[in-house]
Amino acid sequence: MRKNAEINATPVCQVRMQAISDAMSLLSGKWKFHILGTLIEGNTLGFMDLLREIDGIGTKMLSKELQDLEMNNLVSRTVMNTKPITVEYSITEYGKTLSSLIDELANWGIEYRKSVYEKGNN
Amino acid sequence: MRKNAEINATPVCQVRMQAISDAMSLLSGKWKFHILGTLIEGNTLGFMDLLREIDGIGTKMLSKELQDLEMNNLVSRTVMNTKPITVEYSITEYGKTLSSLIDELANWGIEYRKSVYEKGNN
DNA sequence: CAGGATCCTTTACGATACTG
DNA sequence: CAGTATCGTAAAGGATCCTG
């Protein structure tokens, strides 16, 4: 007699669930979207630029998250030939495939904030 | 000489960053997207249905996350008049505004998985 | 400058058992 | 059935200091 539960327990759903888990395993954490979003806008930024633009992040988190993102080919890292050395980070082509997702997330957040203000935050 | 860093440190970016933080404060955690995605597909499901469909989740996390989502008006909770009592969860109209975001996340995850297989997982 | 090392706190998550 | 309570672990995150 249950209709939805049974019908929807199809492989399609399993695949979607798995896909969500996969995506989240790369994108979870407090800073990943901020870093990616900043690099998508800024195109190429130094470590210090990122540190300044991403409010609240510290060096440890920034370097750790950048390593994660680089490992997954979402950002690229280039050591410049300066003294002292400088590093430039950019979004990769693959990373750019997240642009619309990040846009949607940001836009949803903007609408959410509006709705909270309208209702006087309850 | 730095071009992007300075130019992009506009209020627009601040707003986007804030928006991303806002959205994530509602959607972060291991299970929120799974729950929302399942409810968007299933429309209305009981607690046990969700427990069965969301692989790996336990009663504690499920009830806690459902409470969070309900507080933020993303899902609705209805106690049915049965014995023993039954509860039905649905996505709200507001929750449905996340449909495309979740779709994108899932689709991105599917493509990601494909790309990993193609490259033989390194 | 870019980050690694260390230490510490906090939150997230999970297993199990229990209750109206 | 739909949770709550309790307990325990693991992971995430942050502050500070240090180094090539």
Side-chain angles (χ1 to χ4, degrees):
Chain A
M1 285 301 101
R2 277 207 304 28
K3 346 87 220 187
N4 287 329
E6 231 105 48
I7 293 173
N8 283 320
T10 58
V12 177
C13 283
Q14 310 273 26
V15 168
R16 267 181 70 90
M17 299 274 268
Q18 184 59 248
I20 289 174
S21 295
D22 288 347
M24 279 179 24
S25 74
L26 303 193
L27 303 173
S28 67
K30 190 172 173 180
W31 301 111
K32 299 260 169 60
F33 283 116
H34 291 106
I35 295 172
L36 291 170
T38 304
L39 285 174
I40 286 171
E41 306 248 331
N43 211 16
T44 294
L45 295 170
F47 189 83
M48 277 312 202
D49 296 326
L50 287 165
L51 205 56
R52 251 179 268 108
E53 298 216 21
I54 301 171
D55 198 61
I57 199 170
T59 66
K60 177 191 159 186
M61 276 300 119
L62 181 55
S63 81
K64 191 242 174 196
E65 298 297 68
L66 282 169
Q67 282 173 31
D68 286 356
L69 295 170
E70 193 196 357
M71 276 182 36
N72 289 312
N73 194 34
L74 296 173
V75 314
S76 68
R77 176 180 183 273
T78 311
V79 179
M80 305 306 280
N81 207 357
T82 57
K83 20 129 195 164
I85 63 162
T86 287
V87 179
E88 305 247 289
Y89 289 94
S90 311
I91 192 90
T92 61
E93 287 307 309
Y94 187 49
K96 287 179 186 168
T97 62
L98 286 167
S99 293
S100 59
L101 179 59
I102 294 173
D103 276 356
E104 276 219 55
L105 186 68
N107 290 142
W108 193 89
I110 287 170
E111 293 306 313
Y112 165 72
R113 179 162 280 249
K114 279 187 200 166
S115 77
V116 170
Y117 271 107
E118 277 165 17
K119 300 184 181 178
N121 200 10
N122 294 321
Chain B
M1 285 298 99
R2 278 211 298 34
K3 347 85 222 184
N4 288 329
E6 231 103 47
I7 294 173
N8 283 319
T10 58
V12 177
C13 283
Q14 310 273 26
V15 169
R16 267 181 72 90
M17 300 275 267
Q18 184 59 249
I20 289 174
S21 296
D22 287 347
M24 279 179 25
S25 74
L26 302 193
L27 303 173
S28 68
K30 190 172 174 181
W31 301 111
K32 300 259 170 62
F33 283 116
H34 291 106
I35 295 172
L36 291 169
T38 303
L39 285 175
I40 286 170
E41 307 249 330
N43 211 18
T44 295
L45 296 170
F47 188 84
M48 278 312 203
D49 296 327
L50 286 165
L51 205 57
R52 250 179 268 109
E53 299 217 21
I54 301 171
D55 198 59
I57 200 170
T59 65
K60 178 190 159 186
M61 276 300 120
L62 181 56
S63 81
K64 190 242 173 196
E65 298 296 69
L66 282 169
Q67 282 173 31
D68 286 356
L69 295 171
E70 194 196 356
M71 274 182 35
N72 289 312
N73 194 33
L74 296 172
V75 313
S76 69
R77 176 180 183 273
T78 312
V79 180
M80 306 305 281
N81 206 357
T82 57
K83 19 128 194 165
I85 63 161
T86 287
V87 178
E88 305 246 289
Y89 289 94
S90 311
I91 193 89
T92 61
E93 287 306 311
Y94 187 49
K96 287 180 187 169
T97 62
L98 286 168
S99 293
S100 60
L101 179 60
I102 294 172
D103 276 356
E104 276 219 55
L105 186 69
N107 290 142
W108 193 89
I110 287 171
E111 293 306 313
Y112 166 72
R113 179 163 280 249
K114 278 187 199 166
S115 76
V116 170
Y117 270 107
E118 277 166 16
K119 300 185 181 178
N121 200 10
N122 297 318

Short mmCIF file of all heavy atoms in Angstrom, two decimals, chain A residues 29-31 59-61 65, chain D residues 12-17 20:
data_model
loop_
_atom_site.label_atom_id
_atom_site.label_comp_id
_atom_site.label_asym_id
_atom_site.label_seq_id
_atom_site.Cartn_x
_atom_site.Cartn_y
_atom_site.Cartn_z
N GLY A 29 32.97 21.01 4.05
CA GLY A 29 33.86 21.85 4.84
C GLY A 29 33.44 23.30 4.77
O GLY A 29 32.67 23.71 3.92
N LYS A 30 33.97 24.04 5.66
CA LYS A 30 33.51 25.41 5.88
C LYS A 30 33.97 26.37 4.79
O LYS A 30 33.38 27.43 4.59
CB LYS A 30 34.05 25.87 7.23
CG LYS A 30 33.51 27.16 7.75
CD LYS A 30 33.99 27.38 9.18
CE LYS A 30 33.62 28.75 9.71
NZ LYS A 30 34.11 28.94 11.10
N TRP A 31 35.05 26.02 4.08
CA TRP A 31 35.70 27.03 3.24
C TRP A 31 35.76 26.74 1.75
O TRP A 31 36.08 27.60 0.94
CB TRP A 31 37.13 27.25 3.74
CG TRP A 31 37.20 27.71 5.15
CD1 TRP A 31 37.67 27.00 6.23
CD2 TRP A 31 36.79 28.98 5.67
NE1 TRP A 31 37.58 27.75 7.37
CE2 TRP A 31 37.04 28.98 7.06
CE3 TRP A 31 36.23 30.12 5.10
CZ2 TRP A 31 36.75 30.07 7.87
CZ3 TRP A 31 35.94 31.21 5.91
CH2 TRP A 31 36.21 31.17 7.27
N THR A 59 45.71 30.66 7.96
CA THR A 59 46.68 30.06 7.03
C THR A 59 46.57 28.55 7.00
O THR A 59 46.71 27.93 5.95
CB THR A 59 48.12 30.44 7.39
OG1 THR A 59 48.47 29.86 8.64
CG2 THR A 59 48.28 31.95 7.46
N LYS A 60 46.35 27.98 8.14
CA LYS A 60 46.30 26.52 8.16
C LYS A 60 45.16 25.98 7.32
O LYS A 60 45.36 25.11 6.46
CB LYS A 60 46.15 26.01 9.59
CG LYS A 60 46.03 24.51 9.68
CD LYS A 60 45.61 24.07 11.06
CE LYS A 60 45.01 22.68 11.03
NZ LYS A 60 44.47 22.29 12.35
N MET A 61 43.98 26.49 7.56
CA MET A 61 42.81 26.04 6.80
C MET A 61 42.96 26.36 5.32
O MET A 61 42.65 25.54 4.47
CB MET A 61 41.54 26.71 7.33
CG MET A 61 40.93 26.02 8.52
SD MET A 61 40.48 24.30 8.13
CE MET A 61 41.49 23.42 9.28
N GLU A 65 42.93 23.43 2.64
CA GLU A 65 41.82 23.32 1.69
C GLU A 65 42.31 23.48 0.26
O GLU A 65 41.82 22.82 -0.66
CB GLU A 65 40.75 24.36 2.00
CG GLU A 65 40.09 24.20 3.36
CD GLU A 65 39.33 22.91 3.54
OE1 GLU A 65 39.97 21.85 3.58
OE2 GLU A 65 38.10 22.96 3.67
P DA D 12 37.14 15.91 8.40
OP1 DA D 12 36.44 15.69 7.13
OP2 DA D 12 38.61 15.79 8.50
"O5'" DA D 12 36.73 17.36 8.92
"C5'" DA D 12 35.47 17.52 9.57
"C4'" DA D 12 35.46 18.82 10.30
"O4'" DA D 12 36.07 18.67 11.60
"C3'" DA D 12 36.24 19.92 9.58
"O3'" DA D 12 35.38 21.03 9.45
"C2'" DA D 12 37.44 20.19 10.49
"C1'" DA D 12 36.94 19.75 11.85
N9 DA D 12 37.95 19.26 12.77
C8 DA D 12 38.89 18.29 12.54
N7 DA D 12 39.66 18.04 13.57
C5 DA D 12 39.19 18.90 14.56
C6 DA D 12 39.58 19.12 15.90
N6 DA D 12 40.57 18.46 16.49
N1 DA D 12 38.89 20.04 16.60
C2 DA D 12 37.88 20.70 15.99
N3 DA D 12 37.43 20.58 14.75
C4 DA D 12 38.13 19.65 14.08
P DG D 13 35.81 22.24 8.54
OP1 DG D 13 34.57 22.84 8.01
OP2 DG D 13 36.89 21.84 7.64
"O5'" DG D 13 36.40 23.25 9.62
"C5'" DG D 13 35.60 23.58 10.74
"C4'" DG D 13 36.45 24.21 11.82
"O4'" DG D 13 37.34 23.23 12.40
"C3'" DG D 13 37.35 25.36 11.34
"O3'" DG D 13 36.84 26.55 11.90
"C2'" DG D 13 38.74 24.99 11.86
"C1'" DG D 13 38.47 23.92 12.89
N9 DG D 13 39.52 22.94 13.07
C8 DG D 13 40.02 22.07 12.14
N7 DG D 13 40.97 21.30 12.60
C5 DG D 13 41.10 21.71 13.93
C6 DG D 13 41.98 21.24 14.94
O6 DG D 13 42.85 20.35 14.87
N1 DG D 13 41.79 21.91 16.14
C2 DG D 13 40.87 22.92 16.34
N2 DG D 13 40.83 23.46 17.55
N3 DG D 13 40.04 23.36 15.41
C4 DG D 13 40.21 22.71 14.23
P DG D 14 37.51 27.93 11.58
OP1 DG D 14 36.46 28.96 11.73
OP2 DG D 14 38.26 27.81 10.32
"O5'" DG D 14 38.54 28.10 12.78
"C5'" DG D 14 38.02 28.20 14.11
"C4'" DG D 14 39.15 28.46 15.08
"O4'" DG D 14 39.95 27.26 15.23
"C3'" DG D 14 40.12 29.57 14.66
"O3'" DG D 14 40.31 30.43 15.78
"C2'" DG D 14 41.40 28.82 14.28
"C1'" DG D 14 41.32 27.60 15.19
N9 DG D 14 42.03 26.43 14.72
C8 DG D 14 41.93 25.83 13.49
N7 DG D 14 42.69 24.78 13.35
C5 DG D 14 43.35 24.68 14.57
C6 DG D 14 44.31 23.74 15.03
O6 DG D 14 44.78 22.78 14.42
N1 DG D 14 44.70 24.00 16.34
C2 DG D 14 44.24 25.04 17.10
N2 DG D 14 44.73 25.14 18.33
N3 DG D 14 43.34 25.92 16.69
C4 DG D 14 42.95 25.69 15.42
P DA D 15 41.11 31.79 15.60
OP1 DA D 15 40.32 32.85 16.23
OP2 DA D 15 41.57 31.92 14.20
"O5'" DA D 15 42.38 31.49 16.52
"C5'" DA D 15 42.21 30.86 17.79
"C4'" DA D 15 43.52 30.91 18.57
"O4'" DA D 15 44.28 29.71 18.26
"C3'" DA D 15 44.43 32.09 18.21
"O3'" DA D 15 45.07 32.57 19.38
"C2'" DA D 15 45.40 31.50 17.19
"C1'" DA D 15 45.49 30.03 17.61
N9 DA D 15 45.63 29.11 16.49
C8 DA D 15 44.99 29.16 15.27
N7 DA D 15 45.30 28.18 14.46
C5 DA D 15 46.21 27.43 15.18
C6 DA D 15 46.90 26.25 14.88
N6 DA D 15 46.79 25.59 13.72
N1 DA D 15 47.73 25.75 15.82
C2 DA D 15 47.84 26.39 17.00
N3 DA D 15 47.22 27.51 17.40
C4 DA D 15 46.41 27.98 16.43
P DT D 16 46.03 33.82 19.26
OP1 DT D 16 45.90 34.53 20.55
OP2 DT D 16 45.81 34.53 17.98
"O5'" DT D 16 47.46 33.13 19.20
"C5'" DT D 16 47.73 32.01 20.04
"C4'" DT D 16 49.06 31.39 19.66
"O4'" DT D 16 48.87 30.46 18.56
"C3'" DT D 16 50.12 32.39 19.20
"O3'" DT D 16 51.24 32.32 20.07
"C2'" DT D 16 50.48 31.94 17.78
"C1'" DT D 16 50.04 30.48 17.80
N1 DT D 16 49.71 29.92 16.46
C2 DT D 16 50.25 28.71 16.12
O2 DT D 16 50.97 28.05 16.85
N3 DT D 16 49.90 28.26 14.86
C4 DT D 16 49.08 28.91 13.95
O4 DT D 16 48.85 28.40 12.85
C5 DT D 16 48.56 30.18 14.38
C7 DT D 16 47.67 30.94 13.47
C6 DT D 16 48.89 30.62 15.61
P DC D 17 52.44 33.37 19.91
OP1 DC D 17 52.80 33.82 21.27
OP2 DC D 17 52.11 34.35 18.86
"O5'" DC D 17 53.57 32.40 19.36
"C5'" DC D 17 53.68 31.06 19.90
"C4'" DC D 17 54.53 30.20 18.98
"O4'" DC D 17 53.77 29.83 17.81
"C3'" DC D 17 55.80 30.90 18.48
"O3'" DC D 17 56.92 30.06 18.71
"C2'" DC D 17 55.52 31.10 16.99
"C1'" DC D 17 54.61 29.90 16.70
N1 DC D 17 53.78 30.04 15.47
C2 DC D 17 53.77 29.00 14.53
O2 DC D 17 54.44 27.98 14.75
N3 DC D 17 53.02 29.12 13.40
C4 DC D 17 52.31 30.24 13.21
N4 DC D 17 51.60 30.32 12.09
C5 DC D 17 52.31 31.31 14.15
C6 DC D 17 53.05 31.17 15.26
P DG D 20 64.70 25.80 8.03
OP1 DG D 20 64.98 24.42 8.49
OP2 DG D 20 65.51 26.94 8.50
"O5'" DG D 20 64.70 25.78 6.43
"C5'" DG D 20 63.80 24.94 5.72
"C4'" DG D 20 63.44 25.61 4.40
"O4'" DG D 20 62.55 26.72 4.67
"C3'" DG D 20 64.67 26.20 3.66
"O3'" DG D 20 64.48 26.01 2.27
"C2'" DG D 20 64.57 27.70 4.00
"C1'" DG D 20 63.07 27.92 4.12
N9 DG D 20 62.65 28.99 5.02
C8 DG D 20 63.16 29.31 6.24
N7 DG D 20 62.54 30.34 6.81
C5 DG D 20 61.59 30.72 5.88
C6 DG D 20 60.63 31.76 5.92
O6 DG D 20 60.43 32.57 6.80
N1 DG D 20 59.86 31.79 4.76
C2 DG D 20 60.00 30.93 3.71
N2 DG D 20 59.18 31.12 2.69
N3 DG D 20 60.90 29.95 3.66
C4 DG D 20 61.65 29.89 4.77
#
